[in-house]
Amino acid sequence: PALCLSALTGPVVSTYTAVLIANTAVPVWRDARRTLPFVFGGSSMASAGGAAAMLTPVGDAAPARALAVAGAALELAAQTTMERRLDPRVRASYGAPTVKPFHLASQVCTCAGALVLAARGGRSRAAAVVGGLGLCAGAALARWTVFQAGTASANDPAQTVGPQRDRVDRRGTSAGAGPT
């Protein structure tokens, strides 16, 4: 029963933070509200699988490695999709000097950790540990990147006011007649 309960609640718990922060006025988080839970979900899968692969005997860790690699693929794909869908003014947050190094480090750690774990993690304890650490570091950096991008976004008036003005203008034209 506990296994079934955790299978049902795990995905909700791992994406809940993304849902909460996406329901704010922070431009980059609000604009990413449809894809951010997938980034967090993939990140959770990758780090959980990576940690389990590090702590489980190599011969028994195939499911953990599969979870880790699938999570890394989901995280990287969702992150790319999320950034492409962002309003260009808001997307600039990921290029901010306080964000870009963490963003790149997150992607490198996640990709490298998944590759090491997939290629050598089934034969080498050291590779399983290195790959798992890379995935855990990548997941932590991914969340830090999202946080830092939110801070950069909220501090930029163009990102805050521009998209809000666009939404107000769209509502005004879709409501029919303008003010008289």
Side-chain angles (χ1 to χ4, degrees):
L3 184 60
C4 290
L5 182 63
S6 66
L8 294 173
T9 59
V12 174
V13 170
S14 70
T15 59
Y16 187 64
T17 307
V19 173
L20 285 177
I21 67 171
N23 194 26
T24 66
V26 174
V28 75
W29 296 344
R30 185 189 186 292
D31 212 26
R33 67 190 174 280
R34 289 183 175 82
T35 50
L36 197 56
F38 293 100
V39 174
F40 276 43
S43 169
S44 294
M45 288 171 58
S47 60
M54 285 190 295
L55 300 172
T56 304
V58 172
D60 299 327
R65 288 190 303 274
L67 178 69
V69 171
L74 174 61
E75 176 187 345
L76 293 170
Q79 221 169 35
T80 301
T81 301
M82 176 187 72
E83 288 176 43
R84 284 188 184 145
R85 290 182 177 174
L86 289 173
D87 180 297
R89 294 167 291 197
V90 174
R91 186 182 310 130
S93 295
Y94 282 95
T98 57
V99 179
K100 191 173 184 175
F102 294 109
H103 188 43
L104 293 174
S106 163
Q107 292 176 327
V108 167
C109 287
T110 299
C111 192
L115 288 173
V116 167
L117 202 55
R120 304 284 302 155
R123 295 186 298 269
S124 165
R125 181 88 193 128
V129 170
V130 168
L133 285 173
L135 288 168
C136 289
L141 286 165
R143 290 174 189 240
W144 182 250
T145 298
V146 169
F147 174 76
Q148 289 291 77
T151 302
S153 175
N155 289 334
D156 183 354
Q159 293 184 41
T160 304
V161 176
Q164 288 176 353
R165 174 58 48 203
D166 291 347
R167 285 191 297 275
V168 168
D169 290 345
R170 278 194 305 268
R171 270 189 246 137
T173 58
S174 66
T180 56

